[in-house]
């Protein structure tokens, strides 16, 4: 599998696909715009995933702030477990986000490690460009 992207984003998503049982991944802006996605998704599916991911992140930030009795909270990751598999959402420090989906056989620890590694590499590249 390879990434379909609107810029130079394949290097972010392709290593995530190397984790066994990972099916798809999307790179998006925090406000829900797709900047890259993997071949398992169509463009409309990637856009739907991005919009939902953005909404989920917002809800999670609000919930975390409410539980902590604070005005704001930043979310480090969101894990959704379903009867079909896992969705892992990891925001970056640069107003983007990586969302990845693995089937029920994926090792969540391996998926989380790879996604966080790629998010860190993305941050390093953005800082180097600045």
């Amino acid at each position: 599998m390879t990434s379909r992207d609107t810029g130079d984003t394949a290097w972010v998503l392709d290593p995530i696909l190397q984790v066994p049982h990972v099916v798809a991944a999307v790179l998006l802006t925090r406000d829900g715009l797709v900047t890259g996605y993997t071949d398992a998704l169509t463009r409309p599916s990637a856009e739907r995933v991005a919009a939902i991911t953005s909404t989920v992140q917002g809800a999670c930030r609000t919930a975390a702030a409410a539980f902590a009795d604070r005005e704001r909270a930043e979310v480090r990751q969101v894990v959704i477990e379903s009867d079909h598999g896992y969705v892992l959402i990891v925001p970056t420090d640069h107003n983007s986000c990586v969302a990845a989906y693995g089937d029920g056989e994926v090792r969540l620890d391996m998926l989380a490690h790879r996604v966080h590694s790629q998010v860190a590499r993305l941050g390093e590249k953005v800082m180097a460009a600045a």
Side-chain angles (χ1 to χ4, degrees):
M1 280 190 227
T2 58
S3 300
R4 299 177 190 179
D5 55 66
T6 57
D8 182 25
T9 60
W11 68 270
V12 176
L13 300 179
D14 286 345
I16 295 168
L17 294 176
Q18 294 171 1
V19 175
H21 302 286
V22 170
V23 177
V26 176
L27 180 63
L28 60 135
T29 63
R30 283 209 188 175
D31 57 356
L33 300 175
V34 174
T35 56
Y37 59 100
T38 57
D39 284 342
L41 297 170
T42 62
R43 180 72 187 195
S45 293
E47 289 174 350
R48 186 170 151 218
V49 166
I52 293 166
T53 297
S54 179
T55 302
V56 166
Q57 283 187 99
C60 289
R61 283 192 301 272
T62 302
F67 273 110
D69 198 22
R70 309 281 181 173
E71 284 190 35
R72 296 189 62 232
E74 287 302 318
V75 172
R76 293 190 183 116
Q77 74 177 12
V78 177
V79 178
I80 301 169
E81 180 180 2
S82 76
D83 57 343
H84 301 290
Y86 297 90
V87 175
L88 179 68
I89 304 167
V90 179
T92 74
D93 292 334
H94 307 286
N95 289 323
S96 62
C97 174
V98 175
Y101 169 71
D103 67 24
E105 299 297 314
V106 72
R107 285 203 33 205
L108 190 55
D109 60 333
M110 289 177 64
L111 175 59
H113 176 75
R114 185 64 54 91
V115 171
H116 281 277
S117 294
Q118 290 306 105
V119 164
R121 288 185 64 212
L122 182 61
E124 290 168 4
K125 187 169 182 172
V126 168
M127 292 303 290

